[in-house]
């Protein structure tokens, strides 16, 4: 029985997880925010770019992974399961806030006025909670994981699609009634976030926090969609034959991908695709594309056996959240650590981009080269963990 389960492990899941984590790190670390390679830009408001796919792809895979991890509890709520979910939710949320605090600490320490004493400088660098952002990428992952897990353990799975439809429909009504497609502070999402979180604890983007409170509602539906696709994919074929098992997965994922993507684009005429408000059509399209992409990866990796190219992404995929946190920490250090250069000082980030890469590749290509170099540095660390079979679970 154990050997059968092992044989049915899908490497493509790890690879897609790795691709999305690498993509998230890459788009967050261009050489210059003023000279970003076009496909690595987020859509300014409505619309979709390749960059707008990486975060929702990871959330979709998180839904599938949640299905796999909760299966050992037979999808029955217990004290042990509840405490594990609560603990992991809190830990991931606090790590997200800690990254924000660490960024504030490092950048203030690097730019603090010279007339401050060491103690004053340290205190001013440490006590930045009055302006630390409360929500963010890790916090959204935590909330969506926690909500999805509790729902999966307390609700009959056949009812979850109705819950998803209800969440998305209700959120759409909220957007329509609350000026939710306006890119300004009159947007209901901005009004709620400014009232509860306050502007000092929000992302600054025309009053819109892309990981705000109300937009967490469709994000939960997003992860639940991944959970449902995982259920269809992994429970749809009871055959012990691996070839039949994989073929069944391909068909399920492809059909789910086509239906979701087509539905999202069709409905976008009345509900624009928008990442910053996590619109219902954004959920449908990105989940559909993620499902189709996963089907493609299963065909290439698990069916055809073309695995050599995938090792790079596997190093990211086996420790996904740790690698994302590592990328965030290294980015902060690269931007805040300076050394003497010429008549002044320069940060590691600026030195690599302005002095090393930009003169060779130019502004935009140099910005892309920096992002690729940054990914390579992260991969070197991740590969050492992967090679030593060290798995850091967050």
């Amino acid at each position: 029985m154990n050997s059968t389960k092992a044989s049915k492990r899908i490497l493509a899941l790890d690879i897609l997880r790795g691709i999305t984590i690498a993509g998230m790190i890459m788009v967050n670390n261009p050489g210059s925010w003023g000279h970003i390679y076009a496909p690595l830009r987020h859509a300014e408001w409505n619309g979709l770019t390749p960059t707008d796919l990486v975060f929702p792809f990871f959330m979709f895979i998180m839904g599938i992974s949640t299905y796999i991890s909760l299966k050992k509890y037979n999808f029955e709520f217990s004290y042990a399961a509840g405490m594990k979910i609560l603990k992991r939710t809190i830990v991931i949320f606090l790590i997200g806030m800690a990254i924000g605090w660490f960024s504030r600490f490092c950048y203030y320490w690097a730019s603090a006025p010279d007339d401050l004493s060491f103690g004053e400088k340290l205190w001013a660098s440490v006590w930045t909670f009055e302006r630390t952002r409360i929500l963010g990428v890790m916090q959204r992952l935590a909330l969506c994981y926690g909500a999805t897990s509790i729902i999966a353990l307390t609700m009959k799975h056949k009812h979850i699609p109705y819950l998803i439809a209800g969440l998305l429909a209700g959120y759409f009504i909220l957007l329509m009634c609350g000026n939710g497609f306006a890119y300004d502070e009159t947007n209901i999402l901005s009004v709620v976030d400014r009232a509860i979180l306050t502007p000092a604890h929000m992302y600054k983007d025309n009053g819109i926090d892309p990981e705000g409170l109300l937009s967490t509602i469709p994000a939960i539906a997003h992860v639940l969609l991944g959970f449902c696709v995982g259920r269809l994919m992994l429970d749809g074929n009871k055959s012990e034959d691996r070839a039949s098992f994989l073929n069944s997965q391909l068909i399920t994922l492809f059909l789910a991908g086509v239906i979701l993507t087509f539905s999202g684009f069709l409905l976008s005429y009345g509900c624009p695709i928008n990442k910053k408000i996590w619109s219902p059509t954004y959920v449908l399209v990105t989940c559909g594309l993620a499902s189709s992409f996963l089907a493609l990866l299963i065909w290439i990796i698990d069916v055809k056996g073309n695995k050599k190219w995938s090792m790079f992404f596997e190093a990211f995929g086996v420790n996904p959240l740790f690698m994302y946190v590592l990328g965030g920490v290294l980015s902060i250090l690269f931007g805040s650590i300076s050394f003497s250069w010429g008549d002044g000082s320069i940060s590691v980030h600026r030195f690599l981009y302005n002095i090393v890469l930009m003169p060779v590749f130019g502004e935009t290509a140099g910005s892309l080269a920096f992002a690729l170099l940054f990914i390579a540095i992260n991969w070197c660390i991740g590969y050492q963990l992967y090679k030593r079979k060290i798995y850091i679970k967050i």
Side-chain angles (χ1 to χ4, degrees):
M1 189 66 175
N2 291 334
S3 61
T4 300
K5 287 184 178 180
S7 69
K8 289 187 176 182
R9 178 176 176 83
I10 308 161
L11 179 59
L13 282 170
D14 288 335
I15 302 308
L16 181 54
R17 214 171 6 235
I19 290 173
T20 57
I21 289 297
M24 289 166 71
I25 295 172
M26 183 176 180
V27 301
N28 287 339
N29 293 280
S32 167
W33 289 104
H35 302 282
I36 304 175
Y37 186 55
L40 300 184
R41 293 181 183 273
H42 286 291
E44 184 175 352
W45 186 236
N46 292 331
L48 197 66
T49 72
T51 295
D52 295 321
L53 299 177
V54 289
F55 187 20
F57 273 29
F58 183 79
M59 293 183 69
F60 177 81
I61 290 295
M62 185 169 73
I64 297 177
S65 300
T66 300
Y67 178 84
I68 295 171
S69 66
L70 294 181
K71 200 170 185 179
K72 65 184 177 183
Y73 295 107
N74 200 27
F75 301 108
E76 294 178 355
F77 188 83
S78 65
Y79 177 79
M83 289 306 297
K84 181 178 180 180
I85 291 166
L86 179 62
K87 179 182 177 182
R88 188 163 189 244
T89 299
I90 292 173
V91 167
I92 295 174
F93 192 96
L94 291 179
I95 288 174
M97 289 200 67
I99 293 173
W101 173 85
F102 184 64
S103 175
R104 292 280 185 183
F105 173 86
C106 290
Y107 282 107
Y108 187 86
W109 181 269
S111 60
D114 294 332
D115 58 348
L116 294 179
S117 67
F118 177 82
E120 291 173 330
K121 182 179 178 181
L122 180 62
W123 175 250
S125 300
V126 169
W127 194 257
T128 58
F129 299 105
E130 75 281 357
R131 59 185 186 277
T132 297
R133 187 183 176 199
I134 295 175
L135 298 178
V137 170
M138 291 288 286
Q139 293 92 316
R140 170 153 291 184
L141 289 174
L143 294 174
C144 292
Y145 161 76
T148 297
S149 298
I150 295 300
I151 291 168
L153 294 179
T154 57
M155 177 180 282
K156 291 184 178 180
H157 292 176
K158 65 181 181 180
H159 295 154
I160 291 180
Y162 300 106
L163 175 62
I164 294 170
L167 290 174
L168 294 181
Y171 183 64
F172 173 68
I173 294 171
L174 181 68
L175 293 176
M176 293 299 291
C177 296
N179 201 27
F181 292 101
Y183 191 25
D184 55 45
E185 293 187 350
T186 65
N187 191 311
I188 183 65
L189 307 186
S190 176
V191 172
V192 171
D193 285 341
R194 284 184 287 116
I196 298 176
L197 301 176
T198 71
H201 301 289
M202 291 171 56
Y203 188 84
K204 305 298 187 292
D205 186 4
N206 283 17
I208 307 292
D209 191 320
E211 284 83 40
L213 291 170
L214 291 180
S215 61
T216 303
I217 296 170
I220 291 171
H222 191 119
V223 179
L224 285 170
L225 256 177
F227 180 90
C228 290
V229 171
R231 177 171 173 250
L232 287 172
M233 181 180 79
L234 297 171
D235 280 3
N237 188 313
K238 302 298 184 180
S239 172
E240 297 296 317
D241 177 69
R242 180 171 173 79
S244 299
F245 179 70
L246 291 173
N247 286 332
S248 174
Q249 289 180 322
L250 289 174
I251 294 170
T252 300
L253 287 169
F254 179 73
L255 288 176
V258 169
I259 292 170
L260 290 172
T261 304
F262 179 78
S263 299
F265 278 119
L266 184 65
L267 294 173
S268 69
Y269 290 98
C271 176
I273 298 170
N274 187 305
K275 178 189 181 297
K276 292 181 180 179
I277 61 173
W278 216 274
S279 65
T281 47
Y282 178 73
V283 172
L284 295 174
V285 169
T286 53
C287 282
L289 292 175
S291 185
S292 299
F293 189 37
L294 179 57
L296 176 63
L297 289 176
I298 290 175
W299 181 75
I300 293 172
I301 298 169
D302 294 283
V303 175
K304 294 298 182 180
N306 297 320
K307 302 177 182 179
K308 290 183 179 181
W309 65 273
S310 65
M311 186 184 69
F312 178 88
F313 296 107
E314 195 173 355
F316 287 96
V318 295
N319 289 305
L321 291 182
F322 171 78
M323 292 302 297
Y324 180 77
V325 171
L326 174 67
V329 170
L330 289 180
S331 177
I332 293 167
L333 295 177
F334 274 38
S336 59
I337 295 177
S338 300
F339 57 91
S340 298
W341 183 261
D343 295 329
S345 62
I346 189 170
S347 69
V348 175
H349 185 131
R350 286 185 57 208
F351 175 81
L352 290 174
Y353 173 66
N354 290 14
I355 308 302
V356 178
L357 298 173
M358 190 178 71
V360 178
F361 300 103
E363 292 177 331
T364 301
S367 185
L368 174 60
F370 178 89
L372 293 173
L373 175 62
F374 192 80
I375 281 291
I377 294 170
N378 280 263
W379 179 83
C380 289
I381 299 172
Y383 178 70
Q384 294 304 314
L385 298 176
Y386 167 73
K387 187 170 68 171
R388 290 169 171 76
K389 299 187 183 303
I390 299 173
Y391 305 117
I392 304 174
K393 189 174 179 61
I394 295 179

